[in-house]
Amino acid sequence: MHAAGPTAPRGRRAAVIGSPISHSKSPLLHTAAYRALGVDCSYAAVDVDEAGLAAFIDGVRTGGTWRGLSVTMPLKGAVARLVDSTTAPASVLGVVNTVVVGDGPHPTLIGHNTDVAGVAHALAAAGAGTPRRAVVLGGGGTAAAAVAGLAQLGAGTVSVLVRRPDAAAALQRIGAALGVAVAVVPWASAADAVRTSDVVVSTLPPRAADPLAGELTAGAPFHTDGTLLDVAYDPWPSRLAEAWERAGGRIVPGLDMLIHQAVEQVALFFPGAGGDRAAVLRAMCDAAGVTRR
């Protein structure tokens, strides 16, 4: 147990926002971290949809005790347009999953993206090396973070598989800004692309990859020694993860990514106490029943 430092903020609050939100494990993770660090901060899950987001952010600005927000779907893009400024890589992605609320009567709201670190750290912890044939399933905000995370691991090319190629045009712009060639691949080629990849990041909603898993298991048997990160952690294991593991590959639960990005959030919310990332990671893994890697 870590004692709170002399300048540690007291009586603050934070929350994860999105819709739906009742399934979120963020309150479990953050509460465990604050308890371990001795930081006095409550953390809740608040259902906020796109229609109510602007009013909610206005309330945060005037609430007086807010320290930060975790942001999940479908709000990541909209929040990026409502904060006062963004940091890299959020500014490149146009996607914010973390808001730090400044002190004072008129606090500044700064948008960050810790999903990128979550992807990179979770894959690295699982033993994934520099991706040679990287694949991202999906084309939304989390896919943008996946491209950036793979770039951090040294990927030179990332294939993005989507049902509507025009919807992923922004990912090519993002890739160019990060020095990564993004190839948009039609979904019809998904099974072949996955079979020949060494790192796969699925950013699809729960069960959305089930038909793909069926294709992988229905065709000729394949073998892989690659790594799959499936960001959808409930239910777990997903059918895609089961198919990948049966083929010999390593699987990384989305919960691992969630934990690694949450460690970065705590460090942003409370730069002093939260700087002890090892203690935060240990507390979160213990709370979630995850074996630390």
Side-chain angles (χ1 to χ4, degrees):
M1 181 72 71
H2 290 250
T7 60
R10 310 298 297 177
R12 306 305 294 267
R13 58 175 168 161
V16 57
I17 60 172
S19 186
I21 201 65
S22 60
H23 68 284
S24 177
K25 293 188 182 296
S26 291
L28 172 72
L29 301 178
H30 278 259
T31 299
Y34 301 154
R35 184 183 303 115
L37 296 173
V39 170
D40 184 8
C41 182
S42 64
Y43 190 101
V46 182
D47 196 295
V48 180
D49 59 17
E50 291 178 277
L53 178 60
F56 182 85
I57 294 297
D58 286 343
V60 170
R61 289 185 184 277
T62 59
T65 59
W66 284 98
R67 186 56 189 160
L69 299 173
S70 307
V71 183
T72 188
M73 299 304 290
L75 306 177
K76 295 181 179 182
V79 166
R81 297 186 290 272
L82 293 173
V83 295
D84 299 304
S85 64
T86 56
T87 62
S91 52
V92 174
L93 304 184
V95 178
V96 162
N97 82 315
T98 306
V99 178
V100 176
V101 183
D103 295 318
H106 304 288
T108 298
L109 272 55
I110 302 176
H112 304 262
N113 191 303
T114 65
D115 282 339
V116 175
V119 169
H121 293 172
L123 287 171
T130 300
R132 301 182 308 278
R133 298 178 304 279
V135 166
V136 173
L137 304 179
T142 306
V147 169
L150 291 166
Q152 285 192 4
L153 293 177
T157 303
V158 176
S159 296
V160 176
L161 281 75
V162 290
R163 297 189 185 281
R164 294 187 301 110
D166 58 303
L171 296 181
Q172 293 180 304
R173 173 188 58 78
I174 290 167
L178 298 172
V180 178
V182 172
V184 179
V185 179
W187 188 260
S189 303
D192 290 339
V194 168
R195 287 190 184 101
T196 57
S197 63
D198 62 332
V199 177
V200 178
V201 181
S202 173
T203 68
L204 301 174
R207 298 185 175 86
D210 286 1
L212 173 59
E215 289 184 55
L216 292 174
T217 54
F222 79 102
H223 175 78
T224 181
D225 58 0
T227 305
L228 165 73
L229 166 59
D230 190 340
V231 304
Y233 55 81
D234 186 17
W236 186 260
S238 64
R239 285 189 60 194
L240 180 62
E242 289 177 330
W244 188 263
E245 189 171 41
R246 282 198 298 271
R250 291 182 298 271
I251 57 173
V252 183
L255 186 54
D256 285 20
M257 174 194 164
L258 181 69
I259 289 172
H260 280 286
Q261 67 82 29
V263 169
E264 300 303 313
Q265 288 182 334
V266 172
L268 288 168
F269 292 169
F270 301 106
D276 190 348
R277 285 175 169 79
V280 173
L281 179 61
R282 184 165 54 250
M284 289 184 174
C285 287
D286 289 348
V290 171
T291 302
R292 295 190 293 278
R293 291 196 256 199

